[in-house]
Structures are given as C-alpha cells and as structure tokens.
Amino acid sequence: MNGSRTAGSASRTAGATRPSGVGIPVQARGKPAQIRVAVYAEDIILQTGVVQQLRQRPEVELLSESEAGSAEVSLLVVDALTEAVAEHLRRLRLATAGRIGLVVGHFEAGGLQTIVECGVAAVLRRSEADQDRLVHLITALAKGEGVMPGDLLGELLDRIGMLQRTMLDGRGLTLSTLTAREAEMLRLVAEGFDTSEIAAKTSYSERTVKNVLHEIINRLGLRNRAHAVGYAMRRGLI
C-alpha cells in the first residue's frame, strides 16, 4: 500500500459500537509548518473520506495510531453525537494534550453542552467538510482558536449569557429575562411573522429560530408562542 498502513476502525463494548483510533497513512516528515493530526472515525468509510482530503495538504501531517498521543489536533468523524461518541471524546480529552475537533453529520440542538463538557473546541458539519474547511478547522485548533457553525455559536453565546446572569443574581430572577436575540424574535412573533419570515429578518436559520423560541417556552414554563408573547409583554420584556 505504498508504504502506508491502516489500523482498526471501531470496537464493540457492552453491545454498542464505539469510535476507535484509526491508523492514518503518514506523510513525509520534517516540514516545520505541518500540524500533527490524528483522525478517528466510526467506520472506514468516514475515515477514508476525511483522510483522502487531508493527505493532499502540505499543512497537515497525518499520524498513525501509535503516534496519535502526540497529536496537536485530534479529529473525530461521526454520523451523530451519541453517548458512545461523547464517551470517546472524554477519553480523547484525557489521552492527548492536543485540541479536539468534531466533524459530525447530524447535530441535535441539545448536544452543545455535551461537546463543551467533552473539550471539543471546533465543530464542522460533514455536509460542509470540504478540503479547505477541514484545513481551516485544523489550523484554527492548532492556533488555540475555536470554530463553530453560526447557529451553534449563537446558542453558545446565549447559554453563556444565561449562566452569567444566573451567577450575578442570587435570587434567581434571571429565569424571567430574555437575551436580545430572544426578545427580538418574540417581538417578531407578536407582529405576526412566521418562522421563515423571522429567519429571513434575523439572518438565522429556521431551525435556530425554532430552537430559540422552544428554549424560551421551556425555560419560562409556558405553553406556546402566543403564551410566551403575552408573558413577555406583561412584564415589559418586549
């Protein structure tokens, strides 16, 4: 195989498939600009797709499984953020001093807290994972930066803001407050705009709009959007 070698791609524990380290063909050494990268995947198809894109780039040095512990960047490629994937991310966080990136096919709204807890500093959806974006993610991680899709970044900022308000207000009154984005979306609901129209006006995706409104309703213990609008108007929040 032209001097390259590949190790196993997945292991089974307690009846569940867990992502496992996948050996990666090693490029030529000695280029100071190269970033040492270990790629892990749930199966050989996911591994091959990412490896074929990265092996063409001089910025990246792909490591074998035995060298993975010295990686500057560990990249995990999966279909979805399952509990097995979260457990593998936790193991990676303990096993390497490098930073962790996640390339994921389907990402549920509730997964943001999980990836933060697991030490993931960059996320890329597989539908957007072309060669340039993969290298951009790896380079950003190597520089100590983070990369997130816009809707996830917005959700992360909202959660940070909520945590800050909770810590600053010992009486717990922050449960009845709204972020600027939440207030804007509720104002648009009050004006009669539907989800697609709100998305167009705020430059967010329809999925983000739905998630934000769902978060408001759940957090405030309300029944629906109309109830949320009435609640916010009575308290002068919009």
Side-chain angles (χ1 to χ4, degrees):
M1 297 177 60
N2 298 326
S4 65
R5 53 195 176 89
T6 303
S9 63
S11 62
R12 293 185 180 272
T13 299
T17 300
R18 298 190 303 178
S20 181
V22 179
I24 304 300
V26 181
Q27 290 185 318
R29 307 297 178 85
K31 297 182 180 180
Q34 288 183 314
I35 302 167
R36 294 169 62 84
V37 178
V39 176
Y40 303 82
E42 287 182 300
D43 58 56
I44 193 65
I45 296 175
L46 295 179
Q47 178 222 1
T48 301
V50 172
V51 168
Q52 284 182 343
Q53 295 195 66
L54 293 180
R55 65 164 36 132
Q56 304 172 38
R57 298 298 292 254
E59 305 99 319
V60 176
E61 178 188 355
L62 293 167
L63 303 180
S64 66
E65 185 176 16
S66 63
E67 300 169 308
S70 65
E72 298 170 72
V73 172
S74 295
L75 200 59
L76 180 59
V77 189
V78 298
D79 282 320
L81 183 60
T82 63
E83 181 53 41
V85 171
E87 179 59 29
H88 186 61
L89 288 169
R90 295 184 188 103
R91 293 198 307 271
L92 270 180
R93 187 178 187 181
L94 296 174
T96 178
R99 307 186 78 221
I100 301 172
L102 179 68
V103 180
V104 60
H106 179 66
F107 193 92
E108 295 287 350
L112 184 60
Q113 182 174 342
T114 299
I115 64 171
V116 171
E117 290 173 351
C118 293
V120 174
V123 177
L124 182 63
R125 289 192 171 92
R126 274 175 45 206
S127 60
E128 302 171 350
D130 59 22
Q131 188 179 111
D132 288 336
R133 286 191 177 96
L134 283 168
V135 173
H136 171 72
L137 179 144
I138 289 169
T139 302
L141 284 171
K143 291 179 179 178
E145 300 170 357
V147 177
M148 289 264 179
D151 58 324
L152 295 185
L153 181 58
E155 182 183 348
L156 178 60
L157 293 174
D158 280 350
R159 286 180 180 270
I160 291 172
M162 189 187 307
L163 287 172
Q164 289 175 331
R165 293 194 302 275
T166 301
M167 288 187 291
L168 291 173
D169 191 342
R171 296 170 295 170
L173 297 179
T174 54
L175 288 175
S176 64
T177 64
L178 298 173
T179 67
R181 183 171 72 164
E182 290 171 341
E184 179 184 9
M185 289 187 183
L186 275 186
R187 278 195 296 270
L188 292 171
V189 171
E191 292 172 11
F193 294 104
D194 62 22
T195 300
S196 61
E197 292 170 327
I198 295 172
K201 286 181 174 293
T202 58
S203 299
Y204 289 107
S205 68
E206 291 186 33
R207 182 177 180 181
T208 297
V209 172
K210 291 177 182 178
N211 289 340
V212 169
L213 294 174
H214 182 71
E215 166 66 19
I216 296 170
I217 292 167
N218 283 349
R219 191 174 77 237
L220 301 179
L222 305 174
R223 293 189 299 275
N224 50 42
R225 294 185 182 188
H227 193 191
V229 168
Y231 179 97
M233 292 180 71
R234 285 195 301 272
R235 285 159 178 78
L237 299 176
I238 61 173

